[in-house]
Each structure stands twice: as C-alpha cells, then as structure tokens.
Amino acid sequence: MKKYIAICSFLLVSSVSLGACDSYSSNRSTFNPDSASTDKLTGAIAQWELPEELREVSGIALLEQNLMACVQDEEGAIYLYDLEQKKVTEKIAFAGPGDYEGIALNGNTAYILRSDGAIFEVENFRDSKPTVNKYTSGLASSQNTEGLAFDSKNNRLLIACKGYDQKLGDTKAIFAFSLGDKKMQESPVISIPLAQANLQAGTKKKKDKYAVLQPSSLEIHPVSGDLYMLDAVNESIMLVSEQGEIKRVVALDKKVFRQAEGLSFSSSGEMYIASEGGKKGRGVIVKYAKGI
C-alpha cells in the first residue's frame, strides 16, 4: 500500500512539474505579484556577437531596419552597427571619455545619458559636423542614471535611476526632461515603491533595501505604449505602470546576458536586448519577435 501511494505521489508531482515547464517555456503565463517567482525570457530569433569596441555596450536604439545605434561605457561616441553586415559602419564622436549609459532617438536627433545625469543632445547626428548641446539634470550623484527613453506622446525624455536618493524614502523614481524648454521636472513622474512583492522575489541576497531594483535601461513599447525596464543586476526585464506598479517581471538567462544594459524596439514591436561582454567574451544583441 505504501509503495502504491509513493508511486501515485510521484506521478502527481511529475504531472504538475511537466505542466509548469510547458507554461514556463511558452512564456505565456501571467505574472502574479503575490507570488515569489517569475517567468523566464525565451524564444530568441536572432543573436549578434559585437566587435571588441562594443564589448561594453551600454545602450542601443534601432535607427533603421538593420541599423542599430549603440553607445558604450567609456567613450563619447555613437556607433552604428549594421545587423545585416554584422559590423560597425560608422562612428560619431560627440564628447570626451565618460560613463555613457543610454541612448534615445527622435528623428535626426540623438540623446545620450551619462551616469552623472548629464544629457547630450546631438542634432543631425549623422552629418559630418553634428551640433552637440549638453544639459544637466540636477539629480543626486548617488542616483546613477542609466535608463533613457524618448516619450513622443509628451515630448520628453524619461530617466530611470539605478542608484537612489534617500529623500525619496523607500521608492525609486523615473524623472522627466522636457524637450520643449530643456529642463528637468523637479518631482518624479513615476515613483516605484520598493516593497512590492515581485521586487522582493528571488533568493539572491541584497546589500540594502534599494538593491531590489537597479534599472539599467528604459524603453516605451511603440505599439502597446507599455513602459519596459531592464535590470542587469537583478537579471530581469519588467513592465511598469504609470502608477509605479511592477506589472510583470520576466527573468533573463544569465548564460545569454552577462550584463543586460540596452533595450530597443522596432516600430512593429520586435524587441532587442544588448548585453556587455566579459574579459574573455564579446557583447551581444539578442532579438525577440515581441516583448513580454
């Protein structure tokens, strides 16, 4: 009798496990904010290994169907990487050395974000002599700005902070830089409470309460309008509402993404994620047919 019960229990557990695996691999399950688990991003349709000069790729923006604008951590330059030819076809200098983290495009103008909050506006960036303007954000140095997205609906840039500002309490924030008057809005446009259950998920020990969310990239989906956020440290990609609710979290495969720093979409919603390489590995760009 005991042997019969054990066999039945094993079959029941196996059945549940197989069902869970099927849902997991299809990437269709709905994230439950009250649970302590996440989906995993699967289904890549293309991958590019980047050249050595983009080993520390930190931001990407799709310029044309097969052309990706990239920035990297150490050099004030925009690299145009041809996805079809699999090589850098143009390099556009806009500033000196620095920790450049994000890039956003608005027509012929490129915006680049430095980690200290400085914003570089590169007008007609593909011309032989583009016009460069620099703006300061006024954000605290501890906030470590990394995420940058162009919000066409409101004619502004959205900036996400990897670090923190103790004045904000137990929240992290997304700020807005108006492209009309070229000024930063003093108060956050989105405040994200850090106590949300899905930010507390996982077994990895965090050094402090702010470490549960460390945005490395920010983007607005061109079709759905959803706000996407990458978190390289916590190896995840997520959807954020205008009210600061983390609506969904999907885990990144750390075997594919050593340090996921860049995010971009095509006009039809295809998703591209860029990751830095290591001392022995190259940076990569991975393409998905759709977002999460």
Side-chain angles (χ1 to χ4, degrees):
M1 184 65 179
K2 289 182 179 180
K3 184 175 181 181
Y4 172 79
I5 293 174
I7 293 172
C8 289
S9 298
F10 172 79
L11 291 174
L12 177 60
V13 171
S14 299
S15 175
V16 172
S17 298
L18 287 171
C21 287
D22 181 65
S23 175
Y24 180 88
S25 62
S26 69
N27 199 23
R28 292 178 181 174
S29 57
T30 301
F31 181 77
N32 177 5
D34 296 323
S35 72
S37 63
T38 59
D39 300 324
K40 188 172 182 178
L41 186 61
T42 59
I45 59 174
Q47 181 169 325
W48 294 265
E49 186 177 87
L50 297 174
E52 176 60 26
E53 56 198 321
L54 287 173
R55 183 175 59 83
E56 294 193 42
V57 60
S58 56
I60 58 173
L62 190 65
L63 180 60
E64 298 167 4
Q65 183 177 3
N66 287 310
L67 196 62
M68 189 73 74
C70 310
V71 292
Q72 48 108 307
D73 275 349
E74 299 176 344
E75 192 174 0
I78 300 169
Y79 291 83
L80 300 186
Y81 181 79
D82 191 303
L83 299 171
E84 193 171 273
Q85 298 183 53
K86 300 180 180 180
K87 68 178 184 179
V88 171
T89 56
E90 194 174 348
K91 178 181 174 182
I92 304 156
F94 64 85
D99 186 11
Y100 300 98
E101 295 291 347
I103 180 170
L105 303 179
N106 177 19
N108 295 323
T109 301
Y111 296 94
I112 296 93
L113 179 67
R114 204 166 61 189
S115 63
D116 61 359
I119 299 167
F120 293 82
E121 178 186 60
V122 188
E123 298 179 290
N124 299 311
F125 69 95
R126 299 194 71 178
D127 288 357
S128 57
K129 293 184 179 180
T131 301
V132 181
N133 302 299
K134 178 185 173 184
Y135 304 98
T136 56
S137 66
L139 296 173
S141 59
S142 64
Q143 288 185 270
N144 190 11
T145 52
E146 290 207 3
L148 182 70
F150 172 54
D151 179 3
S152 60
K153 182 179 178 181
N154 297 292
N155 192 35
R156 64 187 183 181
L157 299 174
L158 297 179
I159 298 174
C161 303
K162 180 180 178 180
Y164 64 92
D165 183 349
Q166 291 183 340
K167 291 185 294 185
L168 297 175
D170 294 343
T171 66
K172 283 195 176 180
I174 294 174
F175 293 86
F177 179 84
S178 170
L179 294 178
D181 59 12
K182 306 297 171 63
K183 292 182 179 179
M184 178 74 76
Q185 185 172 321
E186 187 173 339
S187 301
V189 291
I190 300 177
S191 294
I192 306 172
L194 299 177
Q196 295 181 62
N198 46 4
L199 289 179
Q200 305 296 328
T203 58
K204 192 184 237 184
K205 187 176 180 180
K206 307 295 191 297
K207 63 179 181 179
D208 57 50
K209 61 184 178 182
Y210 301 106
V212 297
L213 178 64
Q214 300 183 62
S216 55
S217 192
L218 188 68
E219 192 56 83
I220 297 173
H221 194 284
V223 180
S224 69
D226 287 327
L227 185 62
Y228 278 65
M229 186 181 290
L230 269 183
D231 186 330
V233 175
N234 292 301
E235 298 166 350
S236 61
I237 183 171
M238 62 197 78
L239 297 181
V240 186
S241 75
E242 293 182 1
Q243 293 72 41
E245 175 194 0
I246 305 297
K247 298 193 296 182
R248 190 176 185 208
V249 177
V250 174
L252 300 176
D253 187 344
K254 59 184 178 181
K255 293 181 180 179
V256 177
F257 301 107
R258 177 183 174 274
Q259 189 170 321
E261 295 280 344
L263 176 65
S264 187
F265 291 97
S266 70
S267 59
S268 59
E270 295 166 313
M271 183 170 69
Y272 297 80
I273 298 177
S275 175
E276 289 189 7
K279 291 182 179 180
K280 297 182 179 180
R282 299 289 183 91
V284 296
I285 293 176
V286 183
K287 179 181 179 180
Y288 297 84
K290 60 181 181 178
I292 63 173

